[in-house]
Amino acid sequence: MKTQEVSIRANMKVSMKPDTEVLDEVVVTGYGVQRKASFTGAAAVVGKDVLAKKTDANFVKALEGAVPGIQMNNSTSMPGIWGSIYVRGRGSLNSGTQPLYVIDGMPVDSDTDDNSLTYSTNNTIDPMSSLNPADIESITVLKDAAATAIYGSRAANGVIVVTTKKGAEGKFNINLDIKQGFVTTANNNMDFANAQQTMKLFTDGYTAAQGGDWQENYNYLADDYFGWDRKSSYDWMDAISRKGYYQDYNLNMQGRTGSTGYYVGLGYLNTEGLIIGSDLERFSGRLNLDTKFKWATLGVNSSYSYTTQNGFSLSTAGSMSSPLTAAVSSQTPMDPFYDSEGNYANINNYNPLALMDEKTGELNQSNTQMVNLNPYFQIDFGKGIYAKTTLGVNINELRQYQYWSALYNPQAQDYNGLGQQYNSKSTVVTWNNIIGWNYKFADKHDISLMLGQEMQKKSYFYEYYAKSDFPFAASGMRDLTTAGTDQGNEYYKQEARLASYFADVHYSYADKYYLSGSFRRDGSSVFGTDNRWGNFWSVGGKWRISGEEFLSENEIITNATLRASYGTVGNQDISWYAARGFYSSGYNYNQMPGMRPTSIPNPELTWEVSKKFDIGFDLSFLQRIHLTFDFYNEETSDALFEIPLSMTTGISKTYQNIGSIRNRGIEFSINTSIIQNNDLNWNFFANLTWNKNEVIKLSTDDPLEYTYQIIEQGHPYSQFYMKEYVGIDHETGKPLWYLNKEGDETTSDYNAAAKRYVGDADPKVLGGFGTNLTWKGVDFNLNFNYRLGGKVYNSGAAFTGFGMAFRTPLEDVALNSWTPENKNAKYPQYIYRDPNNATATSSRYLYSGNYLRISNVTLGYTLPKTWTQKAFIQKLRAYVSVDNLYTFTASDFVGYNPETSANGVIAWQYPATCTFIGGIQLTF
């Protein structure tokens, strides 16, 4: 509050006016805490109240729509599955694109295991789903160089700083949060045809291809080909779907006794997936302690979690044993679930119910254990001088077991089942030591100086072994110990080191002018012997305009700041031995052990460097309306790029520092308090990010062309490049494409059509908005998130609803395909085996990725304290919440979910889920 001087009189009433509120807010940067007023970088903070509203096992999902500049890339709702995240766009061509995660000041391993059994099937469990969101106090997303450069080699893609709950001032509290509910299928337009509609379409297509009498063809297909009773209709997607049960329990104790603070948290999460065979169970515990002495602080932050995840392949290439693939690509509405004796029918064609049988079906189980241990010790020497040492130990252990059913998987029947065991362990040990000085002199000068040293060791190993021939498979014995025949084994390990020295300085004058600078020197074992060390730096400045005299008494503009920063950060996220001449064993000859070179030495390989520029403006009106605007330009040079080698070397590719990619964009956010009084508080927020991604340089001038996309200079990284579909020739029913790269001339000859640039997978604009309202004991929250301008390609359309090879069609396709009697139809003529290439790769299955989603609705009521205190309860709140209530999509989109993986491709999608929960929060 602003200082006031008033004359003393009887019955005085003084109305205090608030000073600029941001002066005392803080930003957690990982190595320490800075006042928001003196912070010159671009960062966003998400509090525990935002995290508490979401039900996903992964806390990162709560950032979508809540933080400008955050783009989630996750095409599945299967519990616990990894989805990539971009901070201000994709920042690399071939090396890592994911942000650095820092928990309580220590970096942790957030990488997926590229060697795991599930990596290639888009079914990798996310390490961050092992962290219990109920233990998190806040999340800070660091974006620009002024905020991230202190992390040097690991900060090119942004930094996500997680601060967990600590011992709070005040008396001992026990908090209990109970959530229960269910998941169900979210709204979509994937309505498959029934048996009658399907059989009519199949007969139309068969007759168009083979000729003959339509009724005779119908009789042949119904009676001889499918053996259909002409009455039954089987909905396979409905058969493999369910209402999954959701339960989440959290108990924590928090407080401070004397100089010792403590937080103890226990959590249990069990959520069933929407599709049978998918679920996640997590046990978690956390213990945070700190003790303050007169001259020192001693503490430890520690956590443990054990997670079991069951799932199946989500590959866009299609996996026949996946229930999603089997339900719509292998089975039809004419195929029964069971035969006349009650056994699974049609097991030679991947019956998904049989494949997911609880006793004798497939197993795809992943067990993870994550341990975080961070002890620290700080000495305060007085005069603002301190020293701190922190040790961080992060252990992530993965065990996967995959069993191919001896009874129901046609591929595994020949060798009576296959079991594969995969174990891996990743360890990150980090030790940092810092000395700092915070000092204020002459009442106007503030200086903060930090010098630090850090060393890090990363270790990783995996082992793999497999067996076949399960003699007791019919009795449910699927464990690897019951198998009879070895099918090979493998072992691999690697290590990497990082040594760092850094400095950080902040200076402010009169709380109006702020300067900051940082420098970091990193040495990494990943790079060549000639270039292991990299230097990274940043400078930033800020002017608090509202601190000037001409605005100091302004009651409308209560805060106005202008800030700018520039700096460099690095990327070393490539194979740990990419710069080395590496030999691999196991290449034996004539019963003699052998090795061969698998990579060539590259002593010149060095850091990928991202140059980040940011200019921002913060403005507040009446202490109620807060605006933030940022323009950024980030260009990555010396990009670590895999280039092909002549096969005469025996090696297919190697890394070189060639290439450049750029992201340029705008971020805007608004937070406003519409009404604020003792009984009623009503707030509104909105944010928007516009980002343009562009490839500046590749290893050669020639583009890299793939089936659906092209990586080319002057275009976005995720540029779609394919033949452009026009529609149908309503006279012939044939599909039409544009003939040339430009112009309006069309052709019905697929092979004659030229490829065109038809869109980009990344959205042009993304963000979120929402409102929350509290009235007496009632609280209400409504959140939205959206994307505009991106494209989605369905690479599996020919197998999931649009195909012409006797696969279940969508109802819309069955009813609106061209026939001589229906020439104004929506889709080309359905002809068996598709002689006109109507389902070949083209923009016919390239949809708009625009959507607006009601991401969360929460309604709660807190009983008055006068009621609850009689029962020794400090707080009792009951609430209901819905995640992903409804998604509004573009008119041309066909699918379960417009969200995709990073490349913008979907196929055999796991349907989006809608989660309903009810909960009770108790504080004693």
Side-chain angles (χ1 to χ4, degrees):
M1 298 294 177
K2 292 183 178 179
T3 301
Q4 295 186 55
E5 291 187 7
V6 296
S7 300
I8 297 176
R9 61 183 185 274
N11 300 318
M12 290 183 62
K13 183 177 180 181
V14 180
S15 297
M16 302 295 289
K17 296 182 178 180
D19 202 349
T20 305
E21 63 179 18
V22 297
L23 287 180
D24 294 323
E25 294 181 9
V26 295
V27 176
V28 181
T29 63
Y31 286 111
V33 177
Q34 297 179 24
R35 287 194 311 142
K36 188 173 181 179
S38 62
F39 184 67
T40 61
V45 180
V46 174
K48 58 185 178 182
D49 54 331
V50 176
L51 298 173
K53 295 182 178 74
K54 302 296 286 185
T55 58
D56 197 280
N58 190 343
F59 72 89
V60 181
K61 302 286 183 65
L63 303 180
E64 185 174 26
V67 176
I70 291 290
Q71 177 184 333
M72 299 293 301
N73 304 301
N74 191 350
S75 63
T76 176
S77 296
M78 187 187 290
I81 299 303
W82 183 81
S84 67
I85 180 173
Y86 292 160
V87 179
R88 291 185 168 179
R90 182 187 179 99
S92 183
L93 292 168
N94 265 155
S95 54
T97 60
Q98 298 306 290
L100 170 69
Y101 289 85
V102 177
I103 300 177
D104 291 326
M106 283 293 108
V108 298
D109 178 25
S110 62
D111 297 336
T112 58
D113 191 341
D114 294 359
N115 300 300
S116 67
L117 296 174
T118 55
Y119 178 75
S120 62
T121 63
N122 196 29
N123 186 25
T124 300
I125 190 168
D126 194 330
M128 291 298 99
S129 66
S130 296
L131 184 64
N132 188 351
D135 292 333
I136 298 175
E137 181 70 26
S138 67
I139 298 173
T140 304
V141 182
L142 308 179
K143 305 175 188 178
D144 70 335
T148 63
I150 192 64
Y151 285 101
S153 63
R154 298 160 296 175
N157 301 306
V159 181
I160 296 179
V161 180
V162 178
T163 303
T164 61
K165 295 175 181 178
K166 309 294 191 298
E169 295 292 344
K171 62 181 180 179
F172 170 70
N173 285 330
I174 299 178
N175 303 291
L176 177 64
D177 191 356
I178 300 173
K179 301 177 184 176
Q180 290 192 350
F182 62 92
V183 298
T184 186
T185 306
N187 68 291
N188 62 81
N189 54 14
M190 292 293 286
D191 298 318
F192 289 93
N194 60 31
Q196 290 74 19
Q197 294 166 337
T198 299
M199 186 56 67
K200 180 183 181 305
L201 184 69
F202 284 1
T203 307
D204 288 344
Y206 187 79
T207 303
Q210 305 290 338
D213 179 73
W214 189 94
Q215 189 60 52
E216 290 181 1
N217 290 334
Y218 184 93
N219 295 338
Y220 163 73
L221 292 175
D223 300 333
D224 300 330
Y225 192 91
F226 288 103
W228 178 47
D229 63 10
R230 304 198 183 202
K231 292 186 263 185
S232 304
S233 183
Y234 302 92
D235 188 336
W236 283 93
M237 277 302 298
D238 182 70
I240 65 170
S241 302
R242 65 185 175 188
K243 281 188 177 180
Y245 183 47
Y246 176 94
Q247 51 184 328
D248 188 9
Y249 311 105
N250 289 284
L251 174 68
N252 64 68
M253 293 162 281
Q254 188 175 25
R256 182 169 293 276
T257 301
S259 59
T260 300
Y262 51 87
Y263 174 85
V264 181
L266 297 173
Y268 174 74
L269 170 70
N270 191 331
T271 174
E272 292 180 332
L274 182 66
I275 304 299
I276 58 174
S278 61
D279 55 70
L280 181 138
E281 183 179 41
R282 181 183 66 208
F283 299 87
S284 62
R286 173 166 290 276
L287 174 64
N288 292 345
L289 294 171
D290 68 272
T291 298
K292 296 181 179 180
F293 304 96
K294 184 176 180 181
W295 49 272
T297 301
L298 177 66
V300 62
N301 301 309
S302 60
S303 67
Y304 171 81
S305 68
Y306 182 83
T307 303
T308 300
Q309 189 263 341
N310 292 292
F312 42 79
S313 171
L314 296 168
S315 173
T316 54
S319 172
M320 297 306 295
S321 61
S322 163
L324 292 171
T325 306
V328 298
S329 299
S330 298
Q331 307 297 324
T332 71
M334 291 78 71
D335 297 316
F337 306 146
Y338 306 96
D339 61 22
S340 58
E341 298 179 356
N343 300 315
Y344 292 115
N346 203 17
I347 60 173
N348 292 327
N349 201 26
Y350 298 94
N351 182 323
L353 297 175
L355 289 168
M356 293 295 106
D357 185 89
E358 290 188 6
K359 183 179 178 181
T360 55
E362 310 261 284
L363 288 174
N364 294 277
Q365 187 176 90
S366 298
N367 298 101
T368 61
Q369 293 186 83
M370 180 177 282
V371 177
N372 285 315
L373 180 64
N374 301 332
Y376 61 90
F377 180 63
Q378 179 172 320
I379 300 176
D380 297 307
F381 298 102
K383 304 294 184 181
I385 301 173
Y386 66 93
K388 184 178 182 181
T389 182
T390 307
L391 178 68
V393 179
N394 171 235
I395 302 173
N396 194 349
E397 192 174 72
L398 170 66
R399 291 179 59 83
Q400 289 184 330
Y401 182 59
Q402 189 175 88
Y403 167 76
W404 293 13
S405 176
L407 278 66
Y408 304 126
N409 187 324
Q411 291 176 282
Q413 287 174 354
D414 291 341
Y415 35 87
N416 199 25
L418 174 68
Q420 301 176 86
Q421 180 69 51
Y422 177 89
N423 306 319
S424 70
K425 185 176 182 179
S426 174
T427 304
V428 179
V429 179
T430 308
W431 184 25
N432 68 48
N433 301 279
I434 60 175
I435 184 168
W437 179 44
N438 299 316
Y439 191 67
K440 184 173 185 176
F441 56 94
D443 291 329
K444 289 189 175 181
H445 303 272
D446 270 290
I447 188 167
S448 175
L449 176 65
M450 181 180 69
L451 299 174
Q453 169 269 336
E454 186 173 87
M455 46 191 139
Q456 185 180 90
K457 174 184 176 181
K458 297 195 295 184
S459 305
Y460 166 82
F461 82 85
Y462 78 79
E463 59 187 11
Y464 164 86
Y465 38 95
K467 286 187 175 183
S468 63
D469 193 5
F470 288 75
F472 308 110
S475 301
M477 295 186 183
R478 298 173 288 180
D479 191 88
L480 205 60
T481 57
T482 66
T485 305
D486 287 328
Q487 291 291 342
N489 56 77
E490 189 175 344
Y491 181 84
Y492 176 79
K493 70 176 182 179
Q494 61 181 2
E495 292 184 348
R497 304 284 194 279
L498 183 70
S500 309
Y501 305 91
F502 53 89
D504 189 45
V505 62
H506 294 262
Y507 168 77
S508 71
Y509 174 75
D511 262 333
K512 291 188 293 185
Y513 312 108
Y514 308 89
L515 291 173
S516 71
S518 67
F519 176 81
R520 182 172 180 123
R521 181 168 172 81
D522 282 318
S524 174
S525 65
V526 167
F527 296 115
T529 53
D530 298 341
N531 290 292
R532 285 189 174 165
W533 289 90
N535 300 319
F536 310 100
W537 56 272
S538 74
V539 293
K542 185 173 182 177
W543 174 29
R544 191 167 65 87
I545 307 169
S546 53
E548 302 290 352
E549 289 189 8
F550 61 84
L551 281 180
S552 60
E553 299 298 326
N554 192 299
E555 296 184 357
I556 298 177
I557 300 177
T558 49
N559 179 54
T561 59
L562 180 66
R563 50 188 163 75
S565 68
Y566 181 79
T568 63
V569 286
N571 193 337
Q572 60 158 351
D573 193 4
I574 57 174
S575 170
W576 295 356
Y577 299 136
R580 301 174 183 238
F582 193 54
Y583 285 77
S584 297
S585 61
Y587 297 92
N588 305 334
Y589 179 74
N590 196 24
Q591 299 182 340
M592 295 293 291
M595 303 179 73
R596 76 168 179 87
T598 50
S599 65
I600 61 173
N602 184 1
E604 299 297 320
L605 193 68
T606 189
W607 300 91
E608 178 177 290
V609 178
S610 180
K611 301 170 184 175
K612 296 175 178 277
F613 170 74
D614 183 278
I615 185 167
F617 189 70
D618 305 305
L619 188 64
S620 296
F621 299 98
L622 303 171
Q623 291 293 350
R624 289 178 178 269
I625 303 173
H626 309 283
L627 307 174
T628 299
F629 174 87
D630 281 88
F631 167 79
Y632 61 86
N633 187 82
E634 302 181 357
E635 183 171 332
T636 300
S637 57
D638 293 326
L640 294 161
F641 200 89
E642 282 185 310
I643 63 171
L645 289 177
S646 170
M647 289 305 295
T648 58
T649 64
I651 300 169
S652 61
K653 56 191 175 182
T654 187
Y655 274 100
Q656 287 190 11
N657 291 101
I658 298 174
S660 179
I661 190 171
R662 180 176 66 204
N663 286 283
R664 180 179 292 165
I666 292 171
E667 294 175 356
F668 172 78
S669 67
I670 179 172
N671 290 274
T672 179
S673 178
I674 301 172
I675 299 175
Q676 188 172 0
N677 57 47
N678 291 335
D679 290 331
L680 179 62
N681 289 280
W682 182 17
N683 301 308
F684 172 81
F685 82 91
N687 64 71
L688 175 150
T689 301
W690 171 84
N691 184 76
K692 182 180 180 181
N693 174 272
E694 184 177 349
V695 177
I696 306 299
K697 183 183 178 182
L698 294 172
S699 56
T700 69
D701 291 333
D702 296 326
L704 302 174
E705 187 174 335
Y706 302 97
T707 304
Y708 319 119
Q709 292 171 314
I710 189 170
I711 302 176
E712 186 175 6
Q713 296 175 11
H715 292 271
Y717 181 91
S718 53
Q719 173 73 60
F720 285 109
Y721 186 65
M722 60 185 69
K723 300 174 191 290
E724 187 170 5
Y725 180 71
V726 181
I728 65 174
D729 183 334
H730 290 288
E731 290 301 316
T732 64
K734 291 183 178 181
L736 296 174
W737 299 270
Y738 284 116
L739 179 63
N740 302 310
K741 289 186 176 181
E742 295 180 348
D744 296 330
E745 188 176 356
T746 63
T747 179
S748 59
D749 183 355
Y750 176 82
N751 296 318
K755 288 188 175 182
R756 291 186 171 192
Y757 303 102
V758 289
D760 175 17
D762 289 331
K764 303 297 185 294
V765 176
L766 62 128
F769 60 93
T771 185
N772 59 78
L773 182 148
T774 61
W775 177 70
K776 295 185 178 180
V778 178
D779 61 272
F780 174 75
N781 180 84
L782 177 62
N783 283 357
F784 297 80
N785 66 282
Y786 63 89
R787 291 190 189 182
L788 301 171
K791 292 289 187 178
V792 177
Y793 182 72
N794 185 356
S795 63
F799 300 88
T800 56
F802 291 91
M804 299 186 183
F806 292 167
R807 293 186 174 91
T808 306
L810 291 173
E811 183 178 48
D812 193 34
V813 173
L815 299 180
N816 293 298
S817 290
W818 187 96
T819 64
E821 298 76 31
N822 183 20
K823 292 188 174 182
N824 292 321
K826 184 177 179 181
Y827 302 109
Q829 184 179 14
Y830 189 98
I831 306 176
Y832 182 58
R833 294 183 176 172
D834 193 17
N836 295 324
N837 291 306
T839 60
T841 300
S842 77
S843 64
R844 178 183 175 188
Y845 305 119
L846 186 69
Y847 310 126
S848 168
N850 297 348
Y851 71 83
L852 171 65
R853 172 171 292 152
I854 306 175
S855 58
N856 179 263
V857 181
T858 300
L859 177 65
Y861 179 68
T862 303
L863 270 66
K865 283 188 176 182
T866 54
W867 297 3
T868 60
Q869 285 178 345
K870 296 177 182 179
F872 306 101
I873 298 173
Q874 296 183 41
K875 179 182 177 181
L876 174 56
R877 176 177 177 259
Y879 62 95
V880 292
S881 179
V882 185
D883 274 353
N884 193 16
L885 179 61
Y886 195 88
T887 302
F888 302 91
T889 61
S891 59
D892 70 332
F893 177 76
V894 181
Y896 284 112
N897 188 356
E899 286 189 284
T900 73
S901 54
N903 64 357
V905 177
I906 60 174
W908 294 282
Q909 266 192 308
Y910 192 104
T913 59
C914 181
T915 306
F916 298 82
I917 66 164
I920 295 176
Q921 293 175 330
L922 279 167
T923 300
F924 297 94

